[in-house]
Amino acid sequence: MADETTRGNGTGSDGAATGAGNDARAVSGGGYDPQGIEAKWQKRWAEARVFDVEVDSNKPKYYVLEMLPYPSGTMHMGHMRNYTIGDVVARVKKMRGFNVLHPMGWDAFGLPAENAAIKNNTHPRTWTNNNIAEFQKVMRRFGFSYDWRREISTCEPEYYRWNQWFFLRMLERGLAYRKKSRVNWCPKCATVLANEQVVNGFCWRHEDTAVESREIEQWFLKITDYAEQLLEDLKLLEGGWPERVITMQRNWIGKSQGAKVRFVVADFPGESIEVFTTRIDTIYGASAVILAGTHPLLGKLLAGSPVETAAREKLAALRQMSTKAEDVATAEKVGFFTGRYVTNPFNGAKIPVWVGNFVLMEYGTGAVMCVPAHDERDFEFATKYGLPKPIVVQPASSAEALTDENLAQAFTEYGVSANSGGYSGIATEVALDRMSAEAEARKFGKRETVYRLKDWGISRQRYWGTPIPVVYCEKDGVVAVPDDELPVLLPANPKLTGMGESPLAATPEFVNTKCPKCGGAARRETDTMDTFVDSSWYFYRYCDPHNSEAPYDSAKAAYWFPIDQYIGGITHAILHLLYSRFWCKAMRDIGLVKHSEPIERLFTQGMVQKGGVAMSKSRGNVVGALEMAEKYGADTGRLYTLFAAPPEKDLEWSEESIEGSWRFLNRVYRLVKRHSESLRAAKSGGIDAAAASPNEKALLRMAHQTLRRVSQDFDVRWHFNSAIALIMELSNEAQRMEPLEKTVRPEVRKEVLELMTLMLAPMTPHLAEELWEMLGHSEGLWTVRWPEFNKELAKDAEVEVVVQVNGRVRGKLTVAAGMGEAELLPLVMAESSVAHHVEGKRVVKKIVVQDKLVNLVVA
RNA sequence: GCGGGAGUGGCGGAAUUGGCAGACGCAGUAGCCUUAGGAGCUACCGGCCUCACGGCCUUGGGGGUUCGAGUCCCUUCUCCCGCACCA
């Protein structure tokens, strides 16, 4: 699910990894050997079951999760960055004493598996499981702290039966329903796409394939029932979710408050056209009603119209026009008169009915009132076709009244109603409200809220997904499969063609069944579910992955939820995250959980790029994760992805740069190695600051200041890159102190090296364990808590004070920390570099910031 | 068009949120060590002026607030991302 692993991006399975050669970095005698070290500690962790976790109400919990991957192709460093960020968070929280749930699983159903199976003449399950084995191998090689006992794979019946169970619960509640509907059809996928999967009129997987429109019986989930809640609860996510994700969801839900108004059609008794408007206050200015080209009433209106022939030709041409959003948005407005008229219910005016290419059938009612003077689109349309532009709103400031002569563009703001019968002269906001009331009172309209969000079509004409658990019976119609017959298993060996109907339809032993109600012959539903169903609730299953009685135990979910930190790509800002939020609310209403939002904090990490574009197999710019582990070791790979850029930014992969991370870990290893013999027996912890020599104090001060800032970078700021920079400085300093070793007691050196090791532990856990052992510890580092920095030791005895004259740095003074102004200023004035600039001038003002800076303003 | 984000050395980036701009690393230069080095170590490494001490300029451009601005305000340019005829 992470964007680096985009679920079913439709790319082929060919395309070799490029980048590094696979020669491992040479290990000189006794040097840093990541291969040996990493294998050693992974084995110890597994033996000690370090990452196994259970509900424990005595400990604060922390649930950190990376979006589950779609197991396809090679795992590259883009994946690894995502998981490394999660792993650092998990390990830091564990060191902080939290009971950390950090699971991993596989988004295993989906189209690429089916396509690959067709291409390679194998079974989707085989292909998928091979990929899962490969992915797991790489993840284990990187030493991520997953509780592998909780691993899930969405293509297993133990998992997908609960998709079916949820579907039945939704069916019972009317949240799942079936309707014939015009759907988005991708000819290449040979299946239906959700609205969310259509990008600018093209398939989200096939950027070159225009989506077609077809009419099919489809299953839908009524996400629109939750539109208001999904919108409202975005407020709960503020602070925890990126602002732009919240904004994207808000726009996607697209709430508009307005009114629907019926315009009676002249000469057609009983027929009326309903329009939706957010500006009913402008209705006196309507000079036409405009329909979408696919409006259902259109056929009736055109039949026998005085301009029927011409209109039908124009309609055909209009329907031929591109429906691609990027074209549509910029396209010239086109339309034609139908030959029919309607009556404006407010003023009785008879206005023409037109058809316009800019009116969308999918939004509102598929018909709009055309108010040229107060809507930009209507203005453009009316100008082109010579429709009148009655002015019915005047700007509130009377300075520049609108007239027919000076109306150069639509005036779309609120103002004062004009030429609007009894409403003239009142503020449009007020008129809007009163006119809505009038429409309701006179029963030709009503206030209404319209959402852009549409119901979620989940039917897919594919094999590799969850079978929809219903049957069709001649006698009983649509019948739900009873719970005790779940799961409805996928047939083992379907005929996969990649075309047309679901392969399940061509599998008689699957299709033909008995009606659960009457026992008579019945046919199974042959469509499968959109795989976004799988990923809408998978993180609940991690709480209780082997439950065979329920999707999960509510008590366990109550302990672990909400997810404290979710990490993934911005790609899923709408689809996955919106569906997940919906699912949570539906589960709440079913009674499984009590919370309304599943994810407390969301982090969207940047992509790893090569050559300025995201790594992907189809582009052939992939840097294989396993190759990196073989060449430099997992720790170097982890460190580099953390160091090269802050986690939210895109990262350009550089083979030259990773060498720097490799060299650093080598230096650290050698540093500790040089001291390990002499420090093994030294006392650990409990340094007496008072007894420390100046050199010791300096070193300890730096170590504890580093600890203070690194702790902040981990906990608050998520600045892993600068945390690493700080640790590098500490290690450089420790190295520089080596010639003065005799002036630094072993326990002080040990303290410094131990702190450095502990700070590295979340990022380079294998090396850190090894160093910890080298420093004489027999207990694994995994048992150790994050150290607290020592305020006394971190305190500066002396500080460097910058001296400025007129804001320019002229000198620096080293003085005792905390020195007051009275004491400091004479020292400043005595400083020769300062005196030089002050000479012969008058000091107008003195600014003193304690322990930091003195600024003398002279004139 | 609307919404969001970003512009800092040759490069990735830092600046504890108004207080020494360029930490840390990459690349580069010089040297040491080495039979050798894709190893290690030392030093230099934004621009201009100066033999040097030092001085001046510099965070996309312009303006402002302030003793002091990469950081705050106004304005402008450029780039990236999302949505896009939503009535």
Side-chain angles (χ1 to χ4, degrees):
Chain A
M1 285 292 308
D3 54 88
E4 300 291 356
T5 61
T6 306
R7 306 158 30 99
N9 60 9
T11 57
S13 54
D14 40 21
T18 61
N22 13 7
D23 51 325
R25 280 291 175 263
V27 179
S28 50
Y32 174 43
D33 166 27
Q35 308 301 330
I37 288 173
E38 289 170 7
K40 168 181 166 185
W41 291 101
Q42 283 166 16
K43 187 158 170 275
R44 299 248 180 119
W45 293 335
E47 283 164 0
R49 312 216 64 88
V50 172
F51 307 118
D52 290 4
V53 66
E54 295 298 341
V55 167
D56 179 354
S57 47
N58 295 319
K59 271 177 157 181
K61 67 92 186 177
Y62 196 88
Y63 188 176
V64 54
L65 182 67
E66 302 102 56
M67 290 181 184
L68 89 172
Y70 183 82
S72 155
T74 315
M75 258 206 168
H76 53 69
M77 291 310 295
H79 298 107
M80 290 305 122
R81 185 187 195 193
N82 183 217
Y83 306 133
T84 299
I85 293 167
D87 201 49
V88 170
V89 173
R91 286 173 182 272
V92 168
K93 290 297 173 185
K94 186 173 160 63
M95 288 179 87
R96 289 282 195 190
F98 286 88
N99 196 28
V100 175
L101 176 58
H102 187 215
M104 182 44 67
W106 317 105
D107 187 25
F109 270 142
L111 208 43
E114 197 164 336
N115 290 339
I118 293 165
K119 192 172 160 192
N120 305 320
N121 194 27
T122 176
H123 195 283
R125 178 172 297 280
T126 312
W127 185 86
T128 302
N129 285 341
N130 286 345
N131 282 332
I132 288 175
E134 191 59 32
F135 269 43
Q136 212 204 62
K137 186 173 115 191
V138 180
M139 285 181 162
R140 287 183 184 273
R141 180 65 191 80
F142 271 73
F144 298 130
S145 60
Y146 299 130
D147 181 353
W148 283 110
R149 300 170 311 154
R150 293 172 184 269
E151 176 185 6
I152 60 167
S153 176
T154 60
C155 68
E156 298 303 331
E158 293 73 38
Y159 185 83
Y160 72 69
R161 70 175 290 181
W162 301 110
N163 285 345
Q164 296 172 338
W165 185 88
F166 280 121
F167 178 88
L168 295 175
R169 301 292 81 76
M170 292 195 191
L171 190 62
E172 287 161 6
R173 276 150 211 271
L175 276 179
Y177 67 98
R178 192 164 176 259
K179 73 169 182 201
K180 191 157 199 170
S181 71
R182 204 150 265 289
V183 293
N184 307 302
W185 178 271
C186 171
K188 277 212 180 143
C189 301
T191 192
V192 170
L193 302 177
N195 292 318
E196 289 83 347
Q197 292 164 339
V198 180
V199 182
N200 293 332
F202 287 80
C203 174
W204 69 312
R205 284 195 203 95
H206 301 108
E207 291 174 9
D208 58 338
T209 307
V211 171
E212 296 169 4
S213 180
R214 286 200 184 182
E215 202 139 270
I216 297 185
E217 286 276 359
Q218 297 282 304
W219 283 99
F220 286 84
L221 300 184
K222 238 181 184 171
I223 191 171
T224 54
D225 270 12
Y226 289 86
E228 190 56 39
Q229 283 184 51
L230 287 167
L231 189 67
E232 193 57 28
D233 288 352
L234 286 173
K235 288 186 189 127
L236 303 175
L237 306 178
E238 273 163 24
W241 283 40
E243 192 57 41
R244 64 172 170 159
V245 174
I246 293 176
T247 306
M248 282 161 80
Q249 294 220 349
R250 184 172 290 128
N251 292 343
W252 189 264
I253 295 165
K255 180 178 179 175
S256 289
Q257 281 172 302
K260 287 184 177 169
V261 181
R262 269 183 296 113
F263 287 68
V264 173
V265 185
D267 309 325
F268 278 83
E271 283 298 352
S272 61
I273 296 169
E274 194 176 39
V275 305
F276 176 72
T277 177
T278 55
R279 291 295 303 272
I280 196 173
D281 57 301
T282 65
I283 198 165
Y284 281 82
S287 56
V289 160
I290 311 177
L291 307 181
T294 50
H295 196 281
L297 208 58
L298 205 46
K300 208 168 189 176
L301 294 178
L302 290 184
S305 153
V307 294
E308 179 171 2
T309 319
R312 285 202 185 278
E313 275 170 28
K314 284 176 179 158
L315 180 61
L318 189 143
R319 282 182 177 168
Q320 285 295 305
M321 292 177 65
S322 169
T323 52
K324 282 192 285 173
E326 59 202 31
D327 296 346
V328 164
T330 53
E332 198 188 342
K333 300 205 174 359
V334 177
F336 59 87
F337 177 46
T338 60
R340 303 295 182 185
Y341 292 86
V342 292
T343 306
N344 185 331
F346 275 88
N347 59 8
K350 205 175 162 193
I351 54 175
V353 178
W354 285 63
V355 171
N357 64 335
F358 68 99
V359 180
L360 307 172
M361 193 59 228
E362 309 85 70
Y363 187 78
T365 60
V368 301
M369 60 181 199
C370 175
V371 185
H374 305 292
D375 182 282
E376 280 169 33
R377 294 151 300 175
D378 295 347
F379 187 91
E380 190 188 330
F381 193 78
T383 303
K384 179 169 176 185
Y385 291 109
L387 293 166
K389 299 166 182 162
I391 294 163
V392 294
V393 180
Q394 287 292 347
S397 61
S398 54
E400 35 188 335
L402 297 170
T403 65
D404 292 343
E405 286 68 42
N406 72 8
L407 187 73
Q409 58 180 37
F411 177 73
T412 58
E413 289 159 46
Y414 286 114
V416 179
S417 288
N419 297 317
S420 296
Y423 298 100
S424 298
I426 51 179
T428 44
E429 291 95 324
V430 178
L432 193 151
D433 198 49
R434 294 195 191 158
M435 287 161 89
S436 303
E438 180 184 339
E440 283 177 350
R442 292 175 57 199
K443 300 201 191 312
F444 55 75
K446 60 178 177 190
R447 277 177 252 242
E448 196 130 327
T449 301
V450 163
Y451 298 90
R452 209 188 78 118
L453 182 70
K454 276 173 268 174
D455 278 340
W456 175 12
I458 59 159
S459 294
R460 296 291 181 274
Q461 292 67 47
R462 281 298 186 146
Y463 168 72
W464 198 230
T466 305
I468 295 173
V470 295
V471 302
Y472 302 101
C473 168
E474 289 274 322
K475 190 162 146 267
D476 296 308
V478 179
V479 182
V481 173
D483 282 1
D484 59 13
E485 288 180 27
L486 297 185
V488 175
L489 290 170
L490 279 172
N493 293 302
K495 283 194 208 86
L496 301 177
T497 62
M499 290 299 157
E501 273 200 302
S502 165
L504 298 183
T507 312
E509 59 274 28
F510 177 82
V511 176
N512 299 317
T513 185
K514 277 183 190 154
C515 171
K517 262 192 191 163
C518 68
R523 290 175 57 83
R524 280 193 195 280
E525 167 66 60
T526 59
D527 284 352
T528 53
M529 294 182 199
D530 182 3
T531 55
F532 275 108
V533 169
D534 309 343
S535 54
S536 291
W537 68 279
Y538 75 100
F539 27 61
Y540 287 89
R541 185 70 179 171
Y542 285 138
C543 300
D544 195 11
H546 308 295
N547 193 327
S548 56
E549 306 298 318
Y552 53 85
D553 176 57
S554 288
K556 287 179 179 168
Y559 174 78
W560 290 115
F561 269 78
I563 296 168
D564 294 275
Q565 185 66 62
Y566 199 28
I567 302 166
I570 187 70
T571 332
H572 296 290
I574 298 173
L575 303 183
H576 163 57
L577 292 168
L578 190 66
Y579 293 150
S580 294
R581 296 180 57 227
F582 157 67
W583 211 275
C584 173
K585 291 170 198 304
M587 291 195 301
R588 177 200 61 198
D589 293 348
I590 290 167
L592 288 170
V593 298
K594 292 207 168 68
H595 53 271
S596 292
E597 288 291 338
I599 300 155
E600 183 102 357
R601 289 170 59 83
L602 172 70
F603 184 84
T604 54
Q605 95 282 358
M607 302 243 183
V608 176
Q609 308 185 323
K610 186 126 193 251
V613 287
M615 276 185 194
S616 86
K617 197 166 239 193
S618 55
R619 292 199 186 89
N621 63 345
V622 164
V623 176
L626 208 52
E627 290 167 68
M628 282 300 115
E630 279 162 6
K631 187 168 176 181
Y632 298 103
D635 282 338
T636 297
R638 293 168 60 119
L639 188 78
Y640 176 65
T641 56
L642 294 167
F643 181 58
E648 70 279 3
K649 281 192 76 171
D650 288 344
L651 182 164
E652 175 67 25
W653 184 265
S654 158
E655 197 64 26
E656 278 174 339
S657 264
I658 193 176
E659 293 280 349
S661 296
W662 162 250
R663 286 198 284 262
F664 169 62
L665 293 187
N666 273 277
R667 276 199 303 276
V668 166
Y669 181 87
R670 288 194 301 266
L671 174 65
V672 173
K673 177 105 178 166
R674 280 196 297 274
H675 294 269
S676 64
E677 273 311 311
S678 63
L679 297 187
R680 211 171 279 275
K683 191 164 73 97
S684 190
I687 301 288
D688 176 10
S693 71
N695 279 337
E696 290 176 343
K697 275 184 177 156
L699 202 51
L700 286 167
R701 189 182 312 128
M702 178 155 189
H704 281 273
Q705 285 181 354
T706 302
L707 177 58
R708 175 173 58 82
R709 296 171 64 182
V710 167
S711 301
Q712 236 175 38
D713 279 347
F714 277 151
D715 287 345
V716 191
R717 291 153 34 110
W718 279 43
H719 286 195
F720 307 127
N721 54 335
S722 55
I724 293 166
L726 288 166
I727 299 169
M728 283 174 168
E729 287 184 75
L730 179 62
S731 104
N732 290 343
E733 183 62 19
Q735 211 169 313
R736 269 193 291 274
M737 288 297 287
E738 281 185 320
L740 306 168
E741 199 179 304
K742 290 197 186 76
T743 66
V744 179
R745 282 169 294 161
E747 56 263 43
V748 172
R749 280 185 281 140
K750 186 162 184 168
E751 164 99 348
V752 171
L753 295 181
E754 280 186 359
L755 288 179
M756 183 184 75
T757 300
L758 290 170
M759 285 187 272
L760 280 171
M763 300 183 287
T764 59
H766 312 87
L767 174 62
E769 290 278 9
E770 184 72 12
L771 300 179
W772 193 248
E773 189 179 64
M774 285 158 69
L775 287 166
H777 296 279
S778 52
E779 289 275 288
L781 189 155
W782 70 77
T783 61
V784 180
R785 286 294 179 86
W786 185 260
E788 285 302 322
F789 87 94
N790 182 320
K791 281 199 187 96
E792 279 309 305
L793 293 175
K795 200 181 275 174
D796 284 308
E798 292 184 320
V799 289
E800 196 177 53
V801 173
V802 173
V803 183
Q804 298 179 333
V805 179
N806 284 347
R808 309 192 75 97
V809 180
R810 296 302 178 184
K812 287 166 192 179
L813 281 176
T814 303
V815 301
M819 184 182 278
E821 200 173 320
E823 222 176 327
L824 184 60
L825 280 175
L827 292 174
V828 167
M829 301 311 285
E831 181 75 8
S832 63
S833 59
V834 176
H836 173 72
H837 285 94
V838 178
E839 205 161 51
K841 290 169 185 155
R842 196 164 52 88
V843 177
V844 182
K845 201 170 177 183
K846 298 165 188 160
I847 288 110
V848 179
V849 183
Q850 199 182 57
D851 291 349
K852 268 203 174 141
L853 165 141
V854 175
N855 188 13
L856 302 175
V857 185
V858 302

